[in-house]
Amino acid sequence: MSEQRILASSAVMAAGTVFSRASGFIRSALLVTALGAAIRGDLFSIANTLPNMVYILLAGGIFNAVLVPQLVRRIKEDPDGGDAYARRVITLSALFLGTVTVLLVVFAPALLSLYLNDRYLEPDRAEHLDSIIALTRWCMPQVFFYGMYVLVGQVLNARGRFGPMMWAPIANNVLSIGMLVTYLLVWGPVGDGPQLYEPLDTSQQVLLGLGSTVGIVAQFLVLLPYLRASGFVYRPRFDFRDPELRKTLALGVWTVLFVIVTQAAYLVVVKLASGGTAAGGDGTGYTVYANSLLIMMVPHSIVTVSLATAILPRISSFAHEGRLGELGSTVGSTMRTSLALVLPFAVLLPVVAGDVAGFAFGWGGGEDTAASFAPTLALFGPALAFFTVHYFMLRGFYAMEMTRLVFFIQIAVSGTNVLVATLLVPSRPPAETAPMLVVAYLTSYAVGAVVSFVLLRRTVGGLETPQLLRFLTRMSLVLVAAVAAAWSVELALAGLGERPGPLVGLVRGGASALAGLLVVLGGARLLRVREVTSLVDIVAARLRRG
């Protein structure tokens, strides 16, 4: 697969992700409008935490990391194109996910006690605790359908069908938007009033919890016709003694340990975040942290995940054939392409964070609520750059099936996150809970990026490091000028308001970001930053052909 084909495959996935993220953005804005960013919003956000964590870890971990390399090899080597192997994996995974889901529903109260702040156990929070338990039980079935969605999507990816998995979440978001619009029609927006701190009643719990789960069911079902169209027909197979399946499970042991370490760290984050709003007042908590992370993940999902998913079958083949130099070259060049798009977002987001928050979360009279997002959003920008580097390094290790090494790298990442978070959050006021959690996140992935880069470079013999250094040097000069341009526009339009609503946020933030991006494009052309100019040329050529 040439660089042009990688970009073409990525473009298909990116297009689906753009629409998916756009609908997801509307969902998040409606959610904050309906429930706010205080304790009422946290009730729903925390209840949805575990299913979302399972999805993120399965999508970027167990199935993606272990299954795709195995599927690629079986498609090449097996007479049936790997169909029997895929059927065994799907059957075994469905049994596992079904069992786990039932246990999670039954033991939801005990599980919540692990990652809820102790303030929820006090008598004046009894109704809030009952509310979050009920919501969690409504949301837990998502675990099964998230897992099956990721599994079927990875089977499609291994067969070269990249688009459906990226487009399917739109069905989920459309149903979720419908659910939230219904909520707003019945109960109205929460605004900045006392409802921010009240629990949810039974009818609200059913609508929110069941509506969220139905969306995930639809997201999974959308993939099934595409699976059949790819030529794969699923029939249950219970002959699990296949040697290759045992190899997959053996590789998966280290990935499961990776999951456990990551989950343990994230549970600490959720527990600390839940304490930010549990006492009421102007504290920031999980809703602010999670929705800010969601915005940060927009360029990651559109750019990085699309590129990494497109190259994974290729670098898996390189690893299988022992062509480690080509593996390193592919990972290095694709990472630079991703950074060419990610870095402008990472440095401009801190400049326009207040406007982005106002546009995203200032609806329904919630300007004060929106303002609480700005510091958290600003800090997530730089964190994205380190996360991107770390993400690509792990794809290289996964292609070589080095899951044990990835586990030990994750210990360093998760340990740093927990250590910094537990030091910072208790020492700061509740209003700074979410921003301090982002500082911990940023620090942990800075550690992860450095460690994983050094180890992968040593393993494969190079990651085109000289080209990376030249790219970063030139890009740094361009980005300094871009930040100055964006900041100048922000200052020029400061009179529009300190706490912007959606309209001011769109106009001022859009103008500032546009000024910065124009400088990036012009500066990249002037300094010959090939990673940027080649992308611009490809897009321009496609537009001309269109």
Side-chain angles (χ1 to χ4, degrees):
M1 186 186 290
S2 66
E3 183 175 352
Q4 287 74 21
R5 288 186 62 192
I6 290 173
L7 291 174
S9 298
S10 302
V12 173
M13 291 181 283
T17 305
V18 167
F19 282 95
S20 173
R21 288 291 173 171
S23 56
F25 169 81
I26 296 172
R27 175 189 177 275
S28 296
L30 288 171
L31 183 61
V32 174
T33 302
L35 302 179
I39 191 169
R40 172 173 275 211
D42 273 10
L43 294 177
F44 178 73
S45 298
I46 293 173
N48 243 344
T49 295
L50 188 62
N52 284 323
M53 287 178 4
V54 169
Y55 165 63
I56 291 170
L57 289 163
L58 291 179
I62 297 175
F63 292 149
N64 192 5
V66 178
L67 183 60
V68 170
Q70 295 292 315
L71 278 171
V72 168
R73 180 159 62 241
R74 298 304 293 265
I75 287 171
K76 286 184 176 182
E77 297 178 355
D78 290 3
D80 66 349
D83 283 2
Y85 172 78
R87 288 170 185 149
R88 292 186 187 99
V89 170
I90 292 174
T91 303
L92 184 60
S93 298
L95 292 172
F96 171 74
L97 289 168
T99 303
V100 168
T101 300
V102 171
L103 292 174
L104 290 174
V105 171
V106 173
F107 295 106
L111 186 64
L112 282 167
S113 67
L114 296 176
Y115 61 92
L116 275 182
N117 187 271
D118 293 341
R119 182 71 174 81
Y120 278 91
L121 304 179
E122 296 181 12
D124 65 325
R125 288 288 179 258
E127 292 184 17
H128 295 83
L129 181 60
D130 290 342
S131 183
I132 199 171
I133 289 172
L135 279 167
T136 300
R137 282 183 160 147
W138 281 111
C139 293
M140 279 304 183
Q142 296 174 30
V143 170
F144 175 82
F145 293 102
Y146 262 139
M148 295 306 296
Y149 156 75
V150 174
L151 178 60
V152 171
Q154 296 300 347
V155 173
L156 287 169
N157 286 346
R159 291 168 173 267
R161 303 291 184 95
F162 297 105
M165 189 177 183
M166 300 301 177
W167 288 90
I170 296 174
N172 168 33
N173 288 329
V174 167
L175 288 172
S176 296
I177 288 169
M179 173 265 290
L180 289 167
V181 168
T182 302
Y183 182 99
L184 287 167
L185 290 173
V186 176
W187 290 286
V190 70
D192 286 324
Q195 282 186 315
L196 284 168
Y197 312 105
E198 296 175 0
L200 295 160
D201 63 33
T202 302
S203 54
Q204 292 169 333
Q205 295 163 14
V206 173
L207 176 63
L208 293 168
L210 183 61
S212 297
T213 297
V214 168
I216 306 305
V217 175
Q219 178 174 296
F220 162 63
L221 294 177
V222 163
L223 292 185
L224 298 185
Y226 293 99
L227 187 66
R228 181 174 290 274
S230 73
F232 179 83
V233 178
Y234 172 69
R235 288 186 294 271
R237 294 198 61 153
F238 298 95
D239 50 332
F240 299 138
R241 294 189 176 182
D242 177 17
E244 285 296 318
L245 185 58
R246 284 200 298 271
K247 180 181 179 181
T248 300
L249 293 174
L251 289 170
V253 166
W254 290 104
T255 308
V256 168
L257 292 174
F258 171 100
V259 169
I260 292 172
V261 169
T262 306
Q263 292 316 299
Y266 199 75
L267 290 180
V268 173
V269 169
V270 175
K271 190 177 184 72
L272 291 168
S274 69
T277 58
D282 62 352
T284 58
Y286 188 72
T287 298
V288 171
Y289 179 84
N291 281 283
S292 299
L293 177 62
L294 187 67
I295 290 176
M296 186 206 80
M297 284 295 177
V298 169
H300 172 74
S301 302
I302 294 172
V303 178
T304 304
V305 172
S306 299
L307 286 168
T309 304
I311 67 168
L312 187 57
R314 184 186 186 190
I315 61 177
S316 297
S317 295
F318 286 155
H320 181 56
E321 296 163 9
R323 297 156 63 186
L324 298 187
E326 292 174 74
L327 185 155
S329 177
T330 301
V331 171
S333 63
T334 310
M335 181 184 70
R336 293 198 308 276
T337 300
S338 180
L339 287 173
L341 294 168
V342 163
L343 285 175
F345 179 93
V347 300
L348 292 175
L349 182 58
V351 179
V352 299
D355 292 318
V356 171
F359 175 70
F361 307 115
W363 302 87
E367 287 84 358
D368 289 342
T369 294
S372 67
F373 283 83
T376 304
L377 274 172
L379 289 166
F380 261 131
L384 177 61
F386 294 111
F387 182 78
T388 299
V389 174
H390 181 68
Y391 188 88
F392 272 105
M393 297 304 101
L394 294 197
R395 297 317 102 183
F397 288 122
Y398 286 142
M400 295 182 287
E401 300 177 354
M402 299 177 69
T403 53
R404 185 172 73 166
L405 180 58
V406 171
F407 164 70
F408 288 113
I409 293 172
Q410 190 58 34
I411 288 179
V413 173
S414 297
T416 302
N417 196 2
V418 169
L419 176 63
V420 177
T422 52
L423 288 174
L424 289 181
V425 172
S427 66
R428 306 301 301 168
E432 297 182 18
T433 295
M436 291 302 101
L437 289 173
V438 184
V439 172
Y441 181 97
L442 188 159
T443 306
S444 67
Y445 279 105
V447 170
V450 171
V451 171
S452 58
F453 184 91
V454 170
L455 291 176
L456 184 63
R457 182 171 178 266
R458 182 182 302 168
T459 302
V460 301
L463 291 168
E464 297 191 343
T465 306
Q467 293 93 318
L468 176 63
L469 293 175
R470 286 195 296 270
F471 162 74
L472 291 177
T473 300
R474 295 175 183 178
M475 199 67 180
S476 296
L477 298 173
V478 172
L479 293 174
V480 168
V483 168
W487 188 254
S488 297
V489 175
E490 280 285 318
L491 291 177
L493 299 178
L496 294 178
E498 184 180 349
R499 294 199 169 191
L503 180 59
V504 172
L506 176 62
V507 172
R508 186 170 62 195
S512 302
L514 179 60
L517 290 175
L518 289 175
V519 171
V520 168
L521 295 177
R525 185 71 66 180
L526 180 65
L527 295 181
R528 299 180 182 178
V529 184
R530 186 188 65 81
E531 290 79 5
V532 176
T533 57
S534 62
L535 284 172
V536 173
D537 292 341
I538 290 171
V539 171
R542 286 181 177 274
L543 290 175
R544 284 195 295 270
R545 287 199 298 270

